[in-house]
Amino acid sequence: MKALGGAVGVGALGLGIFVKSTEPIVGDHSANSELLGETEFTVRVFNRGAKGNVLVSLEAIESPTVVLEKVTKEIHMTQSERRDVTLTMNVPEDASDVRVTATALDFPGNILN
């Protein structure tokens, strides 16, 4: 039984390594002009986890399932960092909204978020 207990302890320790990953969230975003044509957006991203790479995405959507235009930017963030990211998009006329996301790219963040 002692051997089994040791194996469980090592397994739990190993799992703890995977929890330490980049955990980006979008805090806010704004546009410097009307949402039509060439528009520059500022996206505030917070990293609640460890350092790593983050993909910031901006989508012009017609409906929740129809993406008309998409731009992305990959950035590197340190632990607990807050950063403003600038993205430029040509917003189509028929776009009804803009969706902004931040996704962890580094393993294991890409499977935990």
Side-chain angles (χ1 to χ4, degrees):
M1 289 301 263
K2 281 187 178 183
L4 181 59
V8 171
V10 169
L13 177 62
L15 185 57
I17 293 169
F18 292 110
V19 174
K20 302 215 181 292
S21 64
T22 307
E23 293 183 44
I25 60 167
V26 173
D28 194 14
H29 67 280
S30 60
N32 72 347
S33 65
E34 293 183 34
L35 296 179
L36 184 61
E38 190 79 9
T39 306
E40 186 177 276
F41 293 85
T42 302
V43 180
R44 179 158 290 162
V45 180
F46 299 96
N47 180 18
R48 300 180 301 179
K51 68 179 179 179
N53 294 327
V54 173
L55 185 68
V56 181
S57 301
L58 176 67
E59 298 174 328
I61 58 174
E62 186 176 19
S63 70
T65 58
V66 178
V67 177
L68 302 172
E69 185 77 26
K70 180 176 182 175
V71 294
T72 61
K73 184 181 244 182
E74 185 174 335
I75 61 172
H76 182 79
M77 297 188 78
T78 59
Q79 183 176 6
S80 302
E81 182 180 2
R82 175 180 61 177
R83 181 182 303 179
D84 288 343
V85 179
T86 302
L87 296 164
T88 302
M89 173 188 284
N90 189 7
V91 180
E93 249 180 63
D94 45 349
S96 62
D97 203 359
V98 174
R99 180 171 42 213
V100 182
T101 58
T103 307
L105 291 178
D106 294 324
F107 181 81
N110 58 352
I111 61 171
L112 294 177
N113 289 325

